[in-house]
């Protein structure tokens, strides 16, 4: 009997101990579940009130880091720039800045050049990064993309440098020639020779200044404010008449043809200057006793009919590497020939801006030693004017701007724009 009682007592004690251990384990488990974990610190709940809303309206790319350098919040722009990858800040200099700011609380700013993602080119992404403390544990990183601003600044700087250089050449020549005239005052032949050179340099300077004015005008003015239907035949005749003297001196035959009675919608002065530049280039860069052709035709396009005016020459042609840059300001394929012809390197830049501002484009086909074909593609007068007036018809009569579809264009093959494929051109004397 005593043995049974002892066994029962031992069992009771064991049961009590088991219950106590189970209760302690349950309490410990509850305490661990209530304790904040590292992952719970990475949620949006740790952001101070209102910060999430402010970050969502900022134009800069925003990244918020916690004390473990994990990303708590990042804008879509930050992911697009490649700043955040796999929940971590992927740019080591920025990460080091964040750590330094977290340590001493100072605001830091730096400009960096980052490699572009997804491109095989060596282009860099210019950014400005600013790091500041956000509360007691967080760090805020703001990144501004400066790539486009840098590009515009470089274009402006290059343009000023090019203008200074181009102006310096004829001005310096005029200064030297004037000194030569003074020294040769008793030699009539020398005075006449130097005076002729002065006239050439003065003409070059005048042309450069005028083309700078024209380029500035086509960039700043809206050509469609004073738009009107313009006959293509008249534009071609004006361009031919402008270059008749140069063509006659080189015995170059000029031929005009294509579809008759075509009209484009735009500023007559700007269109005449653009086509005149194309014809003048064709004459200047063609050998003697060759042929320059100008032809126009109408082509169908999704946004309405377009007019293509092709200028074809039998000149020296343009290499593939030069074709990508010929529409840049002051770029010249053959600088020596440009100096001989008085070219400024602004003619094709003006053509490009005129075409774009009229809702069209200019394209080029060329082969070295075979010649070139420049094609000016513009909306046809009826299509462009109809597109302007369509929105206004819903309320009242009148036009209001060029329709987006009418301004679109698709490239055409060089064979389809060469003047030989159009009706027989009229040979002009």
């Amino acid at each position: 009997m005593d043995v049974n009682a002892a066994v029962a007592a031992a069992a009771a004690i064991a049961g009590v101990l088991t219950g106590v251990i189970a209760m302690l384990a349950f309490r410990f488990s509850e305490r661990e579940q209530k304790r904040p974990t590292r992952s719970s610190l990475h949620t949006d709940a740790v952001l101070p009130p209102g910060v999430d809303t402010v970050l969502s309206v900022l134009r800069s790319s925003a990244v918020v880091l916690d004390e473990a350098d994990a990303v708590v919040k990042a804008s879509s722009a930050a992911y697009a720039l490649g700043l955040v990858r796999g929940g971590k800040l992927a740019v080591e200099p920025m990460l080091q800045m964040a750590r330094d700011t977290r340590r001493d609380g100072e605001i830091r700013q730096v400009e960096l050049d980052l490699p572009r993602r997804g491109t095989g080119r060596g282009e860099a992404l210019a950014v400005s990064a600013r790091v500041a403390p956000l509360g007691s544990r967080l760090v805020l990183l703001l990144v501004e993309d400066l790539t486009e601003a840098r590009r515009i600044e470089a274009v402006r700087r290059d343009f000023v440098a090019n203008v200074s250089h181009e102006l310096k050449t004829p001005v310096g020549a005029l200064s030297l020639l004037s000194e030569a005239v003074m020294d040769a005052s008793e030699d009539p032949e020398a005075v006449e020779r130097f005076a002729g050179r002065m006239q050439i340099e003065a003409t070059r300077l005048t042309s450069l200044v005028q083309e700078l004015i024209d380029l500035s005008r086509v960039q700043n003015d809206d050509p469609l404010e004073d738009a009107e239907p313009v006959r293509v035949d008249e534009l071609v005749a004006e361009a031919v008449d402008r270059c008749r003297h140069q063509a006659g001196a080189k015995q170059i035959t000029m031929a005009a043809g294509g579809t008759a009675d075509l009209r484009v919608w735009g500023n007559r002065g700007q269109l005449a200057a653009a086509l005149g530049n194309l014809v003048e280039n064709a004459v200047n860069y063609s050998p003697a006793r060759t042929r320059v052709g100008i032809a126009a035709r109408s082509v169908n396009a999704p946004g309405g009919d377009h007019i293509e005016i092709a200028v074809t020459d039998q000149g020296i042609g343009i290499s593939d590497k030069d074709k990508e840059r010929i529409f840049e300001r002051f770029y010249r394929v053959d600088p020596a020939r440009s100096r001989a012809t008085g070219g400024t390197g602004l003619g094709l830049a003006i053509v490009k801006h005129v075409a774009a501002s009229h809702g069209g484009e200019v394209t080029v086909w060329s082969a070295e030693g075979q010649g070139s074909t420049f094609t000016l593609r513009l909306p046809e007068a009826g299509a462009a004017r109809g597109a302007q007036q369509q929105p206004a018809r819903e309320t009242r009569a009148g036009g209001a701007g060029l329709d987006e579809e009418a301004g679109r264009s698709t490239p055409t093959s060089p064979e389809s724009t060469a003047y030989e494929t159009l009706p027989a051109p009229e040979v002009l004397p």
Side-chain angles (χ1 to χ4, degrees), residues 4-219:
N4 292 334
V7 172
I13 294 172
V16 172
L17 292 175
T18 302
V20 171
I21 293 173
M23 183 181 62
L24 292 175
F26 178 75
R27 294 284 182 86
F28 180 79
S29 175
E30 282 189 334
R31 187 178 304 168
E32 288 297 318
Q33 290 180 359
K34 293 180 180 180
R35 178 178 299 175
T37 61
R38 180 173 298 274
S39 60
S40 67
L41 295 176
H42 299 163
T43 63
D44 293 342
V46 301
L47 290 175
V51 172
D52 195 5
T53 303
V54 173
L55 296 181
S56 65
V57 299
L58 287 178
R59 297 181 60 183
S60 304
S61 303
V63 180
V64 178
L65 304 176
D66 65 7
E67 71 278 6
D69 293 334
V71 176
V72 175
K73 181 74 176 179
S75 63
S76 57
Y79 285 98
L81 290 178
L83 304 179
V84 179
R85 301 176 193 172
K88 293 288 185 179
L89 186 62
V91 183
E92 184 60 31
M94 296 182 186
L95 187 59
Q96 186 59 47
M97 287 175 57
R99 291 168 180 169
D100 295 340
T101 297
R102 187 185 301 111
R103 184 182 65 254
D104 55 26
E106 292 186 4
I107 298 176
R108 289 175 169 81
Q109 184 170 355
V110 67
E111 292 188 1
L112 301 171
D113 292 332
L114 308 178
R116 286 185 182 270
R117 298 181 60 192
T119 62
R121 298 170 294 179
E123 298 179 354
L125 190 69
V127 298
S128 174
R130 185 178 180 87
V131 180
L134 185 64
S136 59
R137 296 183 298 104
L138 304 180
V139 174
L140 173 62
L141 171 67
L142 296 177
V143 180
E144 189 77 21
D145 188 357
L146 303 178
T147 307
E148 185 64 15
R150 291 266 190 93
R151 188 191 67 80
I152 293 175
E153 176 62 22
V155 170
R156 185 196 65 80
R157 187 170 55 251
D158 292 343
F159 180 73
V160 172
N162 286 328
V163 168
S164 302
H165 175 74
E166 295 294 334
L167 289 174
K168 182 179 178 180
T169 301
V171 169
L174 286 173
S175 177
L176 293 175
L177 288 170
S178 64
E179 293 179 4
V181 169
M182 294 178 62
D183 294 338
S185 58
E186 298 181 358
D187 186 350
E189 293 183 0
V191 170
E192 184 178 357
R193 183 171 68 255
F194 292 142
R197 289 296 304 168
M198 291 178 68
Q199 288 183 340
I200 294 174
E201 296 298 335
T203 301
R204 179 178 300 176
L205 181 60
T206 302
S207 300
L208 176 59
V209 173
Q210 184 59 50
E211 289 197 347
L212 286 171
I213 295 173
D214 293 341
L215 181 59
S216 176
R217 182 180 295 117
V218 300
Q219 286 181 319

Side-chain angles (χ1 to χ4, degrees), residues 156-426:
R156 185 196 65 80
R157 187 170 55 251
D158 292 343
F159 180 73
V160 172
N162 286 328
V163 168
S164 302
H165 175 74
E166 295 294 334
L167 289 174
K168 182 179 178 180
T169 301
V171 169
L174 286 173
S175 177
L176 293 175
L177 288 170
S178 64
E179 293 179 4
V181 169
M182 294 178 62
D183 294 338
S185 58
E186 298 181 358
D187 186 350
E189 293 183 0
V191 170
E192 184 178 357
R193 183 171 68 255
F194 292 142
R197 289 296 304 168
M198 291 178 68
Q199 288 183 340
I200 294 174
E201 296 298 335
T203 301
R204 179 178 300 176
L205 181 60
T206 302
S207 300
L208 176 59
V209 173
Q210 184 59 50
E211 289 197 347
L212 286 171
I213 295 173
D214 293 341
L215 181 59
S216 176
R217 182 180 295 117
V218 300
Q219 286 181 319
N220 297 327
D221 295 347
D222 182 4
L224 299 183
E225 289 183 356
D226 301 320
E228 59 178 335
V230 181
R231 288 179 57 91
V232 175
D233 294 343
E234 295 177 357
L235 294 177
V236 172
E238 186 173 338
V240 169
D241 186 65
R242 167 179 168 179
C243 304
R244 192 182 303 274
H245 176 71
Q246 297 97 309
K250 299 174 66 175
Q251 299 181 13
I252 292 177
T253 301
M254 302 183 68
T259 306
D261 199 27
L262 296 177
R263 289 175 172 83
V264 294
W265 181 257
N267 184 289
R268 179 185 179 85
Q270 293 190 13
L271 293 174
L275 184 58
N277 286 341
L278 291 180
V279 176
E280 186 175 12
N281 280 353
V283 172
N284 288 337
Y285 286 89
S286 293
R289 293 179 293 279
T290 56
R291 178 186 178 95
V292 171
I294 310 101
R297 68 172 186 174
S298 177
V299 295
N300 295 326
D305 291 344
H306 280 64
I307 304 300
E308 288 185 349
I309 309 174
V311 179
T312 303
D313 62 58
Q314 298 172 325
I316 60 176
I318 306 170
S319 65
D320 292 337
K321 67 180 182 66
D322 288 323
K323 277 191 287 188
E324 299 178 358
R325 302 190 58 190
I326 56 175
F327 294 103
E328 296 179 8
R329 303 168 184 171
F330 297 109
Y331 185 81
R332 286 169 288 194
V333 176
D334 188 348
R337 181 182 290 266
S338 295
R339 284 192 295 269
T341 59
T344 62
L346 290 174
L348 290 180
I350 293 174
V351 175
K352 179 181 178 180
H353 282 289
V354 170
S357 62
H358 282 75
E361 65 174 351
V362 58
T363 58
V364 58
W365 174 91
S366 184
E368 291 187 89
Q370 300 182 29
S372 305
T373 297
F374 285 84
T375 303
L376 188 60
R377 197 166 190 265
L378 301 166
E380 191 268 337
R385 181 166 49 180
Q388 282 187 303
Q389 295 177 349
Q390 184 176 2
R393 289 196 187 106
E394 299 177 1
T395 54
R396 67 180 187 278
L402 183 64
D403 184 78
E404 181 180 0
E405 286 295 329
R408 296 177 183 171
S409 59
T410 54
T412 57
S413 63
E415 292 79 5
S416 66
T417 59
Y419 71 88
E420 287 86 358
T421 63
L422 302 175
E426 173 192 358

